[in-house]
Amino acid sequence: MHHRLLYALTLAPMALAGCAGSPAFLGGRAAPAPVVADGQTGRDLLRAGRIDEAIEALTAAAPSGDWRVLTALGAAFDRKGDHGRAQFWHRQADTAAPNNPTVLNNWALSLAQSGQREEARSLLRRAAALPGAPAQVQANLRLLEAAPDIIVPPQ
């Protein structure tokens, strides 16, 4: 029960935070926004626990390079237990938004789930040192340091 609560309070809300952004404009006209819609839809589906559908929508939106889409895609694969693929997407999110504490937090939790606790602690320390880091980053770091055997399983 404790590990499921940890997941619910840490990874999911942070992975899904934020909006997808505004549509691009082309020639003075608003471009169709299917990527934005797919990104928001994917995050909504992930919140609802519809993981496979979320992955489909988020994958369609991934070429946008929006870090919120990329980290949500990582979170979706973490929930499926596919941490290798999840970490690929967390790395992509880090490339899109370097030094983003939310991205680093989500990547660290993915690493912890796959047993890479030292790397997870390192990322959480880095995230915690950044200006504007959510308090949850420090809480995750304290938990990982206090209970290094805890692995947050996918939901």
Side-chain angles (χ1 to χ4, degrees):
M1 169 88 168
H2 180 262
H3 56 277
R4 291 184 189 271
L5 180 59
L6 172 67
Y7 182 86
L9 294 176
T10 57
L11 183 60
M14 294 185 76
L16 306 174
C19 63
S22 58
F25 284 86
L26 298 173
R29 297 179 329 203
V35 170
V36 171
D38 285 343
Q40 184 61 51
T41 298
R43 290 195 316 273
D44 291 344
L45 289 165
L46 187 57
R47 276 188 209 104
R50 295 166 55 186
I51 309 306
D52 291 327
E53 292 169 88
I55 288 172
E56 185 177 323
L58 292 165
T59 299
S64 73
D66 184 328
W67 69 268
R68 290 167 288 259
V69 168
L70 302 173
T71 199
L73 196 48
F77 279 110
D78 276 323
R79 286 197 189 180
K80 287 187 68 111
D82 188 344
H83 303 301
R85 204 175 284 174
Q87 290 164 27
F88 168 84
W89 289 109
H90 291 305
R91 279 190 299 278
Q92 297 301 310
D94 184 51
T95 298
N99 295 315
N100 180 309
T102 298
V103 169
L104 295 174
N105 180 76
N106 294 345
W107 188 6
L109 293 175
S110 181
L111 290 166
Q113 290 177 60
S114 65
Q116 300 174 64
R117 291 177 189 84
E118 274 310 308
E119 295 90 339
R121 280 196 269 299
S122 176
L123 282 180
L124 284 171
R125 285 184 197 114
R126 188 172 133 205
L130 293 169
Q136 195 61 53
V137 173
Q138 274 292 349
N140 291 340
L141 180 58
R142 283 191 304 271
L143 182 63
L144 192 58
E145 289 178 341
D149 60 331
I150 290 179
I151 298 176
V152 184
Q155 295 285 313

